[in-house]
Every structure is written in structure tokens, then in C-alpha cells.
């Protein structure tokens, strides 16, 4: 139930997927909302601090998720050959965009040489800073990568719904129910 099988996702992969999805959507909404904050708004400093802290935690979770994905079997894909290739490329693009958003966010936050305090629990040091236009360039990459990520995540969700409702595949069920993996492991 905890581990993946060739027929379904295990509980750890499912939790990584849904917690990441909710966190990414929340960070996007918070980031968009922060762009309208005025200097005297009480969240002017608090919002970015929360955004950065959650972003760093998501970066660590994403790295752990990637390690987990490499050491676990991947369930067999359902659909045509073209759909299988598109799904594989789509997942790679999602991971690249997630990492690109987080790395560019890190570069924005550390452009002045200061580390990132994560909820006051620990600090992530600034390893690369004082590059020409670092905050501005990283900011553009962060924003456009985040927009592309939201669009691709929407396509990903629509594809899952298409597989579930139109094709009658178990693709969505496998990402919702870890018991599916153990019940159908013999197939």
C-alpha cells in the first residue's frame, strides 16, 4: 500500500502528488495576490516570507519525490502510444517547470546575498548572488514559468478527467486510491 506497483501508485507517491499540487496552486495564488499589495499593507513583508518558506519546503519535498520516483516502479500507462508518450513528456515538463520556478524563486530571494529564513526554523544560504540583473531576470523566469506550470497542470488535470470519464481508464483512480495498487498487483 505504501509502495508503487506496476498496476498503481502507492500511498507515498499519492501523498507527494496531491500535497505538491495543492501547495503549488496555493503558492501561485499567493504570489499573484502579493503583486497587488501596497507598501503599507500588513502582508507586504509577511506574504513573501510565507511564500519563500513554503517554496523552500516544497523544493525539499520535490527532491525527495524525485528520489522516491527513481527507486519505485512506475505503473503501466493507459491509453494509446501517442497518449503514453505525451503523458511521459508532460510529466518531465511538469518537473522541469516546478524546479525552474523554485530555483528562480531562490535566485530572486538571494540576489542581495542574504539567505532565506524558512519560518524561522532554519536558513538556506545564498550560494549564488550579485549576478547582473539577477533579481529581475530570475523574476521574469519565475513568473512565466509559474504561468506555464499552471497551464500545463490544467492540461494534466483535464487529461486525467478525460481518461477517467471518456476512456474509462483507471488512471485517476490509481492516483486517488493506494489500495488499487495492491488489489490489482497481479494483473
Amino acid at each position: 500500500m505504501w509502495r508503487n506497483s506496476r498496476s498503481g501508485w502507492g500511498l507515498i507517491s499519492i501523498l507527494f502528488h496531491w500535497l505538491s499540487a495543492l501547495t503549488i496552486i496555493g503558492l501561485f495564488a499567493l504570489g499573484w495576490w502579493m503583486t497587488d499589495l501596497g507598501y503599507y499593507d500588513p502582508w507586504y513583508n509577511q506574504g513573501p516570507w510565507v511564500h519563500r518558506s513554503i517554496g523552500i519546503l516544497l523544493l525539499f519535498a520535490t527532491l525527495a519525490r524525485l528520489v522516491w520516483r527513481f527507486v519505485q516502479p512506475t505503473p503501466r500507462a493507459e491509453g494509446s502510444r501517442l497518449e503514453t508518450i505525451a503523458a511521459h513528456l508532460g510529466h518531465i515538463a511538469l518537473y522541469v517547470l516546478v524546479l525552474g520556478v523554485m530555483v528562480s524563486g531562490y535566485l530572486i530571494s538571494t540576489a542581495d546575498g542574504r539567505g532565506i529564513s524558512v519560518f524561522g526554523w532554519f536558513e538556506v544560504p545564498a550560494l549564488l548572488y550579485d549576478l547582473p540583473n539577477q533579481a529581475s531576470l530570475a523574476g521574469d523566469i519565475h513568473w512565466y514559468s509559474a504561468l506555464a506550470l499552471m497551464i500545463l497542470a490544467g492540461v494534466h488535470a483535464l487529461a486525467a478527467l478525460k481518461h477517467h470519464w471518456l476512456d474509462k481508464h483507471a488512471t485517476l483512480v490509481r492516483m486517488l486510491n493506494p489500495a488499487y495498487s495492491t488489489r490489482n498487483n497481479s494483473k
Side-chain angles (χ1 to χ4, degrees):
M1 186 163 160
W2 293 95
R3 301 174 64 105
N4 300 347
S5 71
R6 292 297 291 156
S7 62
W9 299 101
L11 184 59
I12 293 173
S13 293
I14 290 170
L15 289 173
F16 270 136
H17 177 272
W18 291 110
L19 290 174
S20 295
L22 292 173
T23 303
I24 289 166
I25 291 166
L27 284 171
F28 183 79
L30 177 58
W32 191 319
W33 176 71
M34 288 183 328
T35 61
D36 286 337
L37 293 177
Y39 182 77
Y40 294 105
D41 191 294
W43 275 90
Y44 183 77
N45 290 312
Q46 189 72 15
W49 182 71
V50 169
H51 187 84
R52 284 188 298 267
S53 294
I54 293 172
I56 292 293
L57 294 177
L58 179 63
L59 175 61
F60 293 151
T62 300
L63 295 175
R65 181 181 182 179
L66 286 169
V67 168
W68 183 254
R69 181 154 176 132
F70 284 118
V71 300
Q72 287 293 297
T74 301
R76 285 181 300 274
E78 295 181 298
S80 70
R81 176 100 171 111
L82 181 61
E83 288 173 321
T84 302
I85 292 169
H88 182 69
L89 293 175
H91 283 105
I92 291 171
L94 283 168
Y95 280 117
V96 167
L97 285 169
V98 166
L99 291 170
V101 169
M102 290 187 285
V103 168
S104 60
Y106 169 83
L107 291 172
I108 296 166
S109 300
T110 60
D112 62 0
R114 288 184 290 172
I116 300 171
S117 170
V118 179
F119 293 119
W121 302 333
F122 61 93
E123 184 169 303
V124 176
L127 300 175
L128 188 63
Y129 56 90
D130 278 340
L131 299 173
N133 299 318
Q134 179 175 335
S136 178
L137 291 172
D140 287 343
I141 292 168
H142 190 69
W143 175 246
Y144 291 112
S145 295
L147 283 174
L149 177 60
M150 289 297 103
I151 292 166
L152 188 56
V155 170
H156 175 72
L158 289 173
L161 293 173
K162 179 238 183 227
H163 280 290
H164 184 75
W165 294 107
L166 298 179
D167 301 334
K168 307 293 187 205
H169 293 161
T171 304
L172 184 58
V173 174
R174 294 189 313 182
M175 191 44 79
L176 292 170
N177 185 0
Y180 184 89
S181 176
T182 54
R183 272 198 317 264
N184 297 291
N185 201 18
S186 60
K187 291 184 179 178

